[in-house]
Amino acid sequence: MRISIKLKFSLFLAVLLILAVSVLSYFVLRGVERNQQGQIESSLAQHITTVNLRVKQTFYTGARLEPQQFLQQRGRALAAELAGFTGLEVTLYDIQGQQVGTSAQGEPGPDRPDVSTALGYALNNKVAYQSEGGRLFYLAPLQGPDEQMGVVQLQYPLKNAQSFQQTLLNLFLTTGGAVLVFSFIFGYLYFNRAAAAIGRLRQSAEQIRRADYIKAPPLQRKDELGELAEGIFFMSREIESSIAAKDEERRKLQLAVEKLQALEQQQKQYIGNISHEFKTPLTSIKAYVDLLNMYEDDPELLHDAKISIAKETQRLYEMVEKVLQLTALEKYDFESQAGLLEIEETLRDICSRMKGKAERYGLTITLDVKPAHIWIDKESFMHIFINLLDNAIKYNVPQGTIRLHSEVKDQRVYITVRDSGIGIPEESRDLIFEPFYTVNRDRSRASGGTGLGLSLVHNLVEKQGGSITLLDSSGGAEFLLSFPVVTVESFPL
């Protein structure tokens, strides 16, 4: 069970007060009791002196008798006379311990105490007393002319003394109880204030635990709690500063990791781009070389091969120059240089370059395009359609066809590339533009595909402000590309 600290402190204060009042009451009451006892003994001793003097005076003024005869004859009258002198009840005993006289009225009752033990001490010339029933029985030797001739007993009432002690005890209990209650209430209120301060310190510590750092000291006190509050405040600031520094370092590290990952991705794509850039013209050159080996005497083929190989060789040279420049600049992306491009002429040039590879596989490329101008990087445009035609050749069927068609509508030119090949399965249609994704890995390994071609095409089309979509078609694959049309008048020579 949880007990609040203010209640603990208040209970502890109450225990201390009870202990202090109890100890003080005990010693004061004991002191009063001893003082009263001393005063009573002193008073009784004086009475005994008076009694002895009066007895001796009576003994010497009367007829000369033996001490025992004197007590036997004069004991009763002498006891009554002595009671008048002392104001106390007096009883006289002879040397044998027999009562010879008393000032008490009537016969001894059953409540008369037994003082035989004290009497024995007094007969041996000693003072003895016995307290019983609110009375003090004081027994002292009664001196004769030569020696002790008996014992005198004084009965002293203790009622007043006991009443005073009881009154004093009640006063201590009442005053102590009032002081205890007042001190407990005052202490509880005082400790409540201290406990509230400790509670604020605990709340501040809880805030720090929740990473809700405090902005100012929770307390303004000139004591240990105030110093603790200052310490908690400075600790909060240091923790906040350390956490902020750690978060900043983590952010920088995360940024560095992201940059390294982006750089790694750029490098991979860069290598893939270079591979595709180099592969396309080399494929065209290789196709014409194979055709020349097959038809060495065909002058028209020789003429077309010379022109296409020269173009592709020049393109390869320019790409090598670009790669060297990018490597020196530590860049991993080709810079595009947009310009005015006439698509009919360019597409015919691209088809001419890919004609040799298509004929090698027994394929036919048909071109149905309309004149139109667009604003685009020529190298990117060529790369887009060379890749699309290369895929159409690789994934076609023997004696198949490849058809390029374009039309201008709503200030845009729409170009479709359709083949009669194996097509693309429905489950792969949403993934074909992802890097390194291939529809058929066995077919891709056989044809040398890496799964980067369509991803590069998609990126290049979007960089040039166009769009590319895979259309639904029965048999083969059909891609629709769209670019904004520009008018020649807008670009005067």
Side-chain angles (χ1 to χ4, degrees):
M1 181 179 64
R2 182 178 179 272
I3 302 177
S4 65
I5 191 170
K6 58 185 177 182
L7 183 57
K8 290 181 180 178
F9 283 166
S10 301
L11 291 175
F12 181 71
L13 177 61
V15 171
L16 287 181
L17 288 172
I18 292 173
L19 182 62
V21 170
S22 299
V23 172
L24 180 63
S25 301
Y26 173 78
F27 282 107
V28 169
L29 291 174
R30 287 291 296 170
V32 170
E33 183 181 356
R34 289 174 183 173
N35 181 264
Q36 287 181 331
Q37 183 178 350
Q39 290 180 355
I40 292 172
E41 289 180 357
S42 176
S43 175
L44 292 173
Q46 291 177 1
H47 287 314
I48 292 298
T49 302
T50 302
V51 167
N52 277 304
L53 287 175
R54 183 60 182 165
V55 169
K56 285 182 179 180
Q57 183 181 7
T58 304
F59 179 80
Y60 284 118
T61 57
R64 298 290 294 180
L65 299 172
E66 290 295 326
Q68 294 305 313
Q69 291 178 344
F70 171 77
L71 289 177
Q72 290 293 333
Q73 294 179 9
R74 304 288 302 273
R76 184 182 298 273
L78 190 59
E81 182 184 355
L82 291 175
F85 276 107
T86 60
L88 302 174
E89 184 180 311
V90 179
T91 303
L92 297 177
Y93 298 93
D94 61 14
I95 197 64
Q96 281 79 32
Q98 297 296 321
Q99 180 178 319
V100 294
T102 180
S103 64
Q105 300 296 325
E107 295 296 328
D111 60 340
R112 199 73 174 178
D114 181 13
V115 294
S116 56
T117 303
L119 181 60
Y121 280 98
L123 291 173
N124 290 322
N125 201 25
K126 296 179 181 179
V127 176
Y129 54 86
Q130 177 178 334
S131 177
E132 188 171 343
R135 295 170 293 176
L136 178 67
F137 297 93
Y138 190 87
L139 290 88
L142 184 62
Q143 300 297 331
D146 299 319
E147 58 184 5
Q148 181 180 357
M149 64 177 177
V151 173
V152 58
Q153 172 187 299
L154 301 179
Q155 180 178 316
Y156 188 88
L158 297 176
K159 182 177 180 180
N160 291 336
Q162 290 176 343
S163 176
F164 176 75
Q165 291 181 9
Q166 185 63 41
T167 301
L168 193 61
L169 177 61
N170 293 336
L171 180 63
F172 269 108
L173 291 176
T174 304
T175 306
V179 170
L180 177 63
V181 172
F182 176 77
S183 300
F184 181 83
I185 295 173
F186 179 78
Y188 186 83
L189 294 177
Y190 178 79
F191 289 134
N192 183 55
R193 182 170 175 267
I198 295 174
R200 291 178 63 183
L201 294 177
R202 183 186 63 80
Q203 290 176 357
S204 298
E206 182 66 19
Q207 281 184 254
I208 297 174
R209 188 184 69 83
R210 297 195 308 265
D212 182 13
Y213 303 105
I214 57 178
K215 305 302 180 184
L219 293 176
Q220 296 291 338
R221 294 169 62 107
K222 295 182 179 180
D223 56 11
E224 287 80 358
L225 289 179
E227 294 175 359
L228 179 59
E230 290 286 340
I232 290 177
F233 170 62
F234 286 118
M235 179 183 69
S236 175
R237 290 182 57 186
E238 290 298 320
I239 293 176
E240 183 178 16
S241 177
S242 299
I243 294 295
K246 187 177 77 171
D247 290 342
E248 180 63 20
E249 290 298 324
R250 182 187 300 169
R251 188 189 66 80
K252 290 181 179 179
L253 181 61
Q254 182 65 27
L255 186 60
V257 170
E258 290 175 357
K259 286 184 178 180
L260 287 174
Q261 291 175 342
L263 182 62
E264 181 184 8
Q265 187 64 27
Q266 281 185 336
Q267 288 177 333
K268 287 181 179 179
Q269 193 147 357
Y270 173 66
I271 294 172
N273 288 345
I274 291 175
S275 300
H276 272 268
E277 289 281 355
F278 284 170
K279 183 179 177 182
T280 302
L282 288 174
T283 300
S284 180
I285 293 172
K286 185 175 182 301
Y288 274 106
V289 170
D290 291 341
L291 288 174
L292 288 174
N293 288 332
M294 294 171 59
Y295 307 103
E296 296 180 355
D297 298 333
D298 189 343
E300 183 179 354
L301 176 61
L302 180 61
H303 179 265
D304 292 343
K306 282 182 179 181
I307 294 174
S308 295
I309 290 174
K311 288 180 180 179
E312 297 299 338
T313 303
Q314 180 63 30
R315 186 168 172 232
L316 263 176
Y317 178 79
E318 291 174 356
M319 283 193 294
V320 170
E321 287 290 325
K322 281 187 179 181
V323 170
L324 292 176
Q325 291 174 4
L326 290 174
T327 303
L329 295 174
E330 295 184 353
K331 293 183 178 180
Y332 300 100
D333 197 8
F334 291 101
E335 295 180 357
S336 61
Q337 297 179 350
L340 191 63
L341 180 71
E342 207 287 310
I343 63 170
E344 181 185 12
E345 179 183 348
T346 307
L347 287 175
R348 290 188 184 279
D349 182 35
I350 293 171
C351 291
S352 174
R353 298 187 187 198
M354 300 301 294
K355 180 180 177 182
K357 185 174 183 179
E359 290 180 352
R360 178 184 172 189
Y361 290 100
L363 304 175
T364 303
I365 299 176
T366 59
L367 189 64
D368 179 19
V369 295
K370 301 294 188 291
H373 290 83
I374 59 175
W375 187 258
I376 196 171
D377 176 61
K378 184 177 180 181
E379 288 293 331
S380 297
F381 187 84
M382 293 186 67
H383 189 82
I384 291 168
F385 285 95
I386 288 176
N387 268 282
L388 290 175
L389 289 175
D390 188 57
N391 281 347
I393 292 172
K394 287 190 294 185
Y395 301 114
N396 216 316
V397 295
Q399 307 304 318
T401 59
I402 302 170
R403 182 172 180 270
L404 272 74
H405 172 76
S406 76
E407 62 178 347
V408 178
K409 183 171 59 175
D410 299 331
Q411 299 299 313
R412 294 185 73 85
V413 58
Y414 295 91
I415 307 171
T416 56
V417 180
R418 179 187 175 90
D419 63 70
S420 58
I422 59 177
I424 298 173
E426 184 67 28
E427 63 272 11
S428 301
R429 297 177 69 85
D430 296 333
L431 302 172
I432 58 172
F433 294 116
E434 296 293 330
F436 304 104
Y437 178 80
T438 56
V439 175
N440 189 319
R441 294 189 180 274
D442 295 334
R443 180 77 178 265
S444 298
R445 280 194 290 268
S447 59
T450 62
L452 280 171
L454 288 178
S455 173
L456 295 175
V457 167
H458 184 267
N459 289 337
L460 289 174
V461 169
E462 288 190 342
K463 282 183 179 181
Q464 302 303 320
S467 64
I468 180 171
T469 307
L470 176 63
L471 300 178
D472 293 330
S473 59
S474 56
E478 183 175 6
F479 292 92
L480 173 65
L481 294 87
S482 170
F483 299 96
V485 173
V486 297
T487 58
V488 180
E489 292 78 8
S490 303
F491 302 92
L493 296 177

